[in-house]
Coordinates of all heavy atoms in Angstrom, one line a residue:
V1 N 0.8 -1.2 0.0 CA 0.0 0.0 0.0 C 0.9 1.3 0.0 O 0.6 2.2 -0.7 CB -0.9 0.0 1.2 CG1 -1.5 1.4 1.4 CG2 -2.1 -1.0 1.0
E2 N 1.9 1.2 0.8 CA 2.8 2.4 0.9 C 3.5 2.7 -0.5 O 3.6 3.9 -0.9 CB 3.9 2.2 2.0 CG 4.8 3.4 2.2 CD 5.7 3.2 3.3 OE1 5.7 2.1 4.0 OE2 6.6 4.0 3.6
I3 N 3.9 1.6 -1.1 CA 4.6 1.8 -2.4 C 3.6 2.4 -3.4 O 3.9 3.3 -4.2 CB 5.1 0.5 -2.9 CG1 6.3 0.0 -2.0 CG2 5.6 0.6 -4.4 CD1 6.7 -1.4 -2.3
L4 N 2.4 1.9 -3.5 CA 1.4 2.3 -4.5 C 0.9 3.7 -4.1 O 0.7 4.6 -5.0 CB 0.2 1.4 -4.5 CG 0.6 0.0 -5.1 CD1 -0.7 -0.9 -5.0 CD2 1.1 0.0 -6.5
S5 N 0.8 4.0 -2.8 CA 0.2 5.3 -2.4 C 1.1 6.4 -2.8 O 0.7 7.6 -3.1 CB 0.0 5.3 -0.9 OG -0.9 4.4 -0.5
N6 N 2.4 6.2 -2.8 CA 3.4 7.2 -3.2 C 3.2 7.6 -4.7 O 3.8 8.7 -5.1 CB 4.8 6.7 -3.0 CG 5.2 6.6 -1.5 OD1 4.6 7.3 -0.7 ND2 6.1 5.7 -1.2
Q7 N 2.5 6.8 -5.4 CA 2.3 7.1 -6.9 C 0.9 7.6 -7.2 O 0.5 7.7 -8.3 CB 2.7 5.9 -7.7 CG 4.1 5.4 -7.4 CD 4.5 4.3 -8.3 OE1 4.1 4.2 -9.5 NE2 5.3 3.4 -7.8
I8 N 0.1 7.8 -6.2 CA -1.3 8.2 -6.4 C -1.5 9.6 -5.8 O -1.1 10.0 -4.7 CB -2.3 7.3 -5.7 CG1 -2.1 5.9 -6.3 CG2 -3.7 7.8 -5.8 CD1 -3.0 4.8 -5.6
N9 N -2.1 10.5 -6.6 CA -2.5 11.8 -6.1 C -3.9 11.7 -5.5 O -4.9 11.7 -6.2 CB -2.5 12.8 -7.3 CG -2.8 14.2 -6.9 OD1 -3.0 14.5 -5.7 ND2 -2.8 15.1 -7.8
F10 N -3.9 11.6 -4.2 CA -5.2 11.3 -3.5 C -6.1 12.5 -3.6 O -7.3 12.4 -3.5 CB -5.0 11.0 -2.0 CG -4.4 9.7 -1.8 CD1 -3.1 9.5 -1.4 CD2 -5.2 8.5 -2.0 CE1 -2.5 8.3 -1.2 CE2 -4.6 7.3 -1.8 CZ -3.3 7.1 -1.4
K11 N -5.6 13.7 -3.9 CA -6.5 14.9 -4.0 C -7.4 14.8 -5.2 O -8.5 15.4 -5.3 CB -5.6 16.2 -4.2 CG -4.8 16.5 -2.9 CD -4.0 17.7 -3.1 CE -3.2 18.1 -1.9 NZ -2.3 19.3 -2.0
N12 N -7.0 14.0 -6.2 CA -7.9 13.8 -7.4 C -8.9 12.7 -7.3 O -9.6 12.4 -8.2 CB -7.0 13.6 -8.6 CG -6.1 14.8 -8.9 OD1 -6.4 15.9 -8.6 ND2 -4.9 14.5 -9.5
I13 N -8.9 12.1 -6.1 CA -9.8 10.9 -5.9 C -10.9 11.4 -5.0 O -10.7 11.8 -3.8 CB -9.1 9.7 -5.3 CG1 -8.0 9.3 -6.2 CG2 -10.1 8.6 -5.0 CD1 -7.1 8.2 -5.6
K14 N -12.2 11.4 -5.5 CA -13.3 12.0 -4.7 C -13.7 11.1 -3.6 O -14.0 11.6 -2.5 CB -14.5 12.2 -5.7 CG -14.2 13.3 -6.7 CD -15.5 13.4 -7.6 CE -15.2 14.5 -8.7 NZ -16.4 14.6 -9.6
S15 N -13.7 9.8 -3.8 CA -14.2 8.9 -2.7 C -13.1 7.9 -2.4 O -12.6 7.2 -3.2 CB -15.4 8.1 -3.2 OG -15.8 7.2 -2.3
F16 N -12.7 7.9 -1.1 CA -11.6 7.0 -0.7 C -11.9 6.7 0.8 O -11.6 7.5 1.7 CB -10.2 7.7 -0.8 CG -9.1 6.7 -1.1 CD1 -8.5 6.7 -2.3 CD2 -8.8 5.8 -0.1 CE1 -7.5 5.8 -2.5 CE2 -7.8 4.8 -0.3 CZ -7.1 4.8 -1.6
N17 N -12.4 5.4 1.0 CA -12.8 5.1 2.4 C -11.6 4.6 3.3 O -11.6 4.8 4.5 CB -13.9 4.0 2.3 CG -15.2 4.5 1.7 OD1 -15.5 5.7 2.0 ND2 -15.8 3.7 0.9
D18 N -10.7 3.8 2.7 CA -9.7 3.1 3.5 C -8.3 3.1 2.7 O -8.1 2.3 1.9 CB -10.1 1.7 3.8 CG -9.2 1.0 4.8 OD1 -8.2 1.6 5.2 OD2 -9.5 -0.1 5.1
R19 N -7.5 4.0 3.1 CA -6.1 4.0 2.4 C -5.2 2.9 2.9 O -4.1 2.8 2.4 CB -5.5 5.4 2.7 CG -6.2 6.5 2.0 CD -5.4 7.8 2.2 NE -6.1 9.0 1.6 CZ -5.6 10.2 1.6 NH1 -4.4 10.4 2.0 NH2 -6.4 11.2 1.1
H20 N -5.7 2.1 3.8 CA -4.9 1.0 4.3 C -5.3 -0.3 3.6 O -4.7 -1.4 3.8 CB -5.0 0.8 5.8 CG -4.4 1.9 6.6 ND1 -3.1 2.0 6.9 CD2 -5.0 3.0 7.1 CE1 -2.9 3.1 7.6 NE2 -4.0 3.7 7.7
S21 N -6.3 -0.2 2.7 CA -6.8 -1.4 2.0 C -6.1 -1.5 0.7 O -6.1 -0.6 -0.2 CB -8.3 -1.3 1.7 OG -8.7 -2.2 0.7
L22 N -5.4 -2.7 0.5 CA -4.7 -2.9 -0.8 C -5.6 -3.0 -1.9 O -5.4 -2.5 -3.0 CB -3.8 -4.2 -0.7 CG -3.0 -4.5 -1.9 CD1 -2.0 -3.4 -2.3 CD2 -2.3 -5.8 -1.8
F23 N -6.8 -3.6 -1.7 CA -7.8 -3.7 -2.7 C -8.2 -2.3 -3.2 O -8.2 -2.0 -4.4 CB -9.1 -4.4 -2.2 CG -9.0 -5.8 -2.0 CD1 -9.8 -6.5 -1.1 CD2 -8.0 -6.6 -2.7 CE1 -9.7 -7.8 -0.8 CE2 -7.9 -8.0 -2.5 CZ -8.8 -8.6 -1.5
E24 N -8.5 -1.4 -2.3 CA -8.9 0.0 -2.6 C -7.8 0.8 -3.2 O -8.0 1.5 -4.2 CB -9.5 0.6 -1.4 CG -10.3 1.9 -1.8 CD -11.2 2.4 -0.6 OE1 -11.4 1.7 0.3 OE2 -11.6 3.6 -0.7
V25 N -6.6 0.7 -2.6 CA -5.5 1.5 -3.2 C -5.1 1.0 -4.5 O -4.8 1.8 -5.4 CB -4.3 1.4 -2.2 CG1 -3.1 2.1 -2.8 CG2 -4.6 2.2 -0.9
S26 N -5.1 -0.3 -4.8 CA -4.8 -0.9 -6.1 C -5.8 -0.4 -7.1 O -5.5 -0.1 -8.3 CB -4.8 -2.4 -6.0 OG -3.7 -2.8 -5.2
Q27 N -7.1 -0.4 -6.7 CA -8.1 0.1 -7.7 C -7.9 1.5 -8.0 O -8.0 1.9 -9.2 CB -9.5 -0.1 -7.0 CG -10.7 0.1 -8.0 CD -10.7 -0.9 -9.1 OE1 -10.8 -2.1 -8.8 NE2 -10.7 -0.5 -10.3
S28 N -7.5 2.3 -7.0 CA -7.2 3.8 -7.3 C -6.0 3.9 -8.2 O -5.9 4.8 -9.0 CB -7.1 4.5 -6.0 OG -8.2 4.5 -5.2
F29 N -5.0 3.0 -8.0 CA -3.8 3.1 -8.8 C -4.2 2.8 -10.3 O -3.8 3.6 -11.2 CB -2.8 2.0 -8.3 CG -1.6 1.9 -9.1 CD1 -0.5 2.6 -8.8 CD2 -1.5 1.1 -10.3 CE1 0.7 2.5 -9.5 CE2 -0.3 1.0 -11.0 CZ 0.8 1.7 -10.6
V30 N -5.0 1.8 -10.5 CA -5.5 1.5 -11.9 C -6.3 2.6 -12.4 O -6.2 3.0 -13.6 CB -6.3 0.2 -11.9 CG1 -6.9 -0.1 -13.3 CG2 -5.3 -1.0 -11.5
D31 N -7.2 3.2 -11.6 CA -8.1 4.3 -12.1 C -7.5 5.6 -12.3 O -7.9 6.4 -13.2 CB -9.3 4.4 -11.1 CG -10.1 3.2 -11.0 OD1 -10.1 2.4 -12.0 OD2 -10.9 3.0 -10.1
S32 N -6.4 5.9 -11.5 CA -5.9 7.3 -11.5 C -4.5 7.5 -12.1 O -4.2 8.6 -12.5 CB -5.9 7.9 -10.1 OG -5.0 7.2 -9.3
V33 N -3.8 6.4 -12.2 CA -2.4 6.5 -12.8 C -2.5 6.1 -14.2 O -3.4 5.5 -14.7 CB -1.5 5.6 -12.0 CG1 0.0 5.7 -12.5 CG2 -1.5 6.0 -10.5
T34 N -1.5 6.6 -15.0 CA -1.4 6.3 -16.4 C -1.2 4.8 -16.7 O -1.3 4.4 -17.8 CB -0.3 7.1 -17.1 OG1 0.9 6.8 -16.4 CG2 -0.6 8.6 -17.0
G35 N -0.9 4.0 -15.7 CA -0.7 2.6 -15.9 C -2.0 1.9 -16.0 O -3.1 2.4 -16.1
T36 N -1.9 0.5 -16.0 CA -3.1 -0.3 -16.2 C -3.0 -1.4 -15.2 O -2.1 -1.5 -14.3 CB -3.1 -1.0 -17.6 OG1 -1.9 -1.8 -17.7 CG2 -3.1 0.1 -18.7
K37 N -4.0 -2.3 -15.2 CA -4.0 -3.5 -14.3 C -2.7 -4.3 -14.5 O -2.1 -4.8 -13.6 CB -5.2 -4.4 -14.6 CG -5.2 -5.7 -13.9 CD -5.3 -5.7 -12.4 CE -5.1 -7.1 -11.8 NZ -6.1 -8.1 -12.3
Q38 N -2.3 -4.4 -15.8 CA -1.1 -5.2 -16.1 C 0.2 -4.5 -15.5 O 1.1 -5.2 -14.9 CB -0.9 -5.4 -17.6 CG 0.2 -6.4 -17.9 CD 0.1 -6.8 -19.4 OE1 -0.6 -6.3 -20.2 NE2 1.0 -7.7 -19.7
S39 N 0.2 -3.2 -15.5 CA 1.4 -2.5 -15.0 C 1.4 -2.6 -13.5 O 2.5 -2.7 -12.8 CB 1.4 -1.0 -15.4 OG 0.3 -0.3 -14.8
L40 N 0.2 -2.6 -12.8 CA 0.1 -2.8 -11.4 C 0.6 -4.2 -11.0 O 1.4 -4.4 -10.1 CB -1.4 -2.7 -11.0 CG -1.7 -3.1 -9.5 CD1 -1.1 -2.2 -8.5 CD2 -3.2 -3.1 -9.4
Y41 N 0.1 -5.2 -11.8 CA 0.5 -6.6 -11.5 C 2.1 -6.8 -11.7 O 2.7 -7.4 -10.8 CB -0.2 -7.5 -12.5 CG 0.4 -8.8 -12.7 CD1 0.3 -9.9 -11.8 CD2 1.2 -9.1 -13.9 CE1 0.9 -11.1 -12.0 CE2 1.8 -10.3 -14.1 CZ 1.6 -11.3 -13.1 OH 2.2 -12.5 -13.3
K42 N 2.6 -6.2 -12.7 CA 4.1 -6.3 -12.9 C 4.9 -5.6 -11.7 O 5.9 -6.1 -11.3 CB 4.5 -5.7 -14.2 CG 4.1 -6.5 -15.4 CD 4.6 -5.9 -16.7 CE 4.2 -6.8 -17.9 NZ 4.6 -6.2 -19.2
K43 N 4.3 -4.5 -11.2 CA 5.0 -3.8 -10.1 C 5.0 -4.7 -8.9 O 6.0 -4.9 -8.2 CB 4.3 -2.5 -9.9 CG 4.9 -1.7 -8.8 CD 4.2 -0.3 -8.7 CE 4.4 0.5 -9.9 NZ 5.8 1.0 -10.0
I44 N 3.8 -5.3 -8.6 CA 3.7 -6.2 -7.4 C 4.6 -7.4 -7.6 O 5.3 -7.9 -6.7 CB 2.3 -6.5 -7.1 CG1 1.5 -5.2 -6.7 CG2 2.2 -7.5 -6.0 CD1 0.0 -5.4 -6.4
Q45 N 4.5 -8.0 -8.8 CA 5.3 -9.2 -9.0 C 6.8 -9.0 -8.9 O 7.5 -9.8 -8.4 CB 5.0 -9.8 -10.4 CG 5.6 -11.1 -10.7 CD 5.5 -11.5 -12.2 OE1 5.7 -10.7 -13.1 NE2 5.2 -12.8 -12.4
G46 N 7.2 -7.8 -9.3 CA 8.6 -7.4 -9.2 C 9.1 -7.3 -7.8 O 10.2 -7.6 -7.5
I47 N 8.2 -6.9 -6.9 CA 8.5 -6.8 -5.5 C 8.8 -8.2 -4.9 O 9.7 -8.4 -4.1 CB 7.4 -6.1 -4.7 CG1 7.3 -4.6 -5.2 CG2 7.7 -6.1 -3.2 CD1 6.1 -3.9 -4.7

């Protein structure tokens, strides 16, 4: 969550209930960053 959160601009996200949820932060990563689900997957796999 910490790694992904550093790449998300939370100010541009209107609804965010739980920043400690990997499900929710990952969804926001896919929705708000120029990357895709595949780029998210590769990032986590690389870790």
Side-chain angles (χ1 to χ4, degrees):
V1 165
E2 185 176 355
I3 293 171
L4 296 178
S5 297
N6 290 334
Q7 302 184 36
I8 298 176
N9 184 357
F10 288 108
K11 294 180 180 179
N12 296 332
I13 302 174
K14 295 181 180 179
S15 176
F16 209 113
N17 293 322
D18 186 0
R19 293 188 185 182
H20 295 277
S21 165
L22 180 59
F23 289 155
E24 190 165 348
V25 171
S26 295
Q27 189 66 57
S28 297
F29 179 91
V30 173
D31 293 343
S32 65
V33 181
T34 54
T36 61
K37 166 73 186 297
Q38 190 168 6
S39 66
L40 169 68
Y41 160 77
K42 287 182 177 179
K43 183 176 291 294
I44 294 177
Q45 187 189 43
I47 295 171

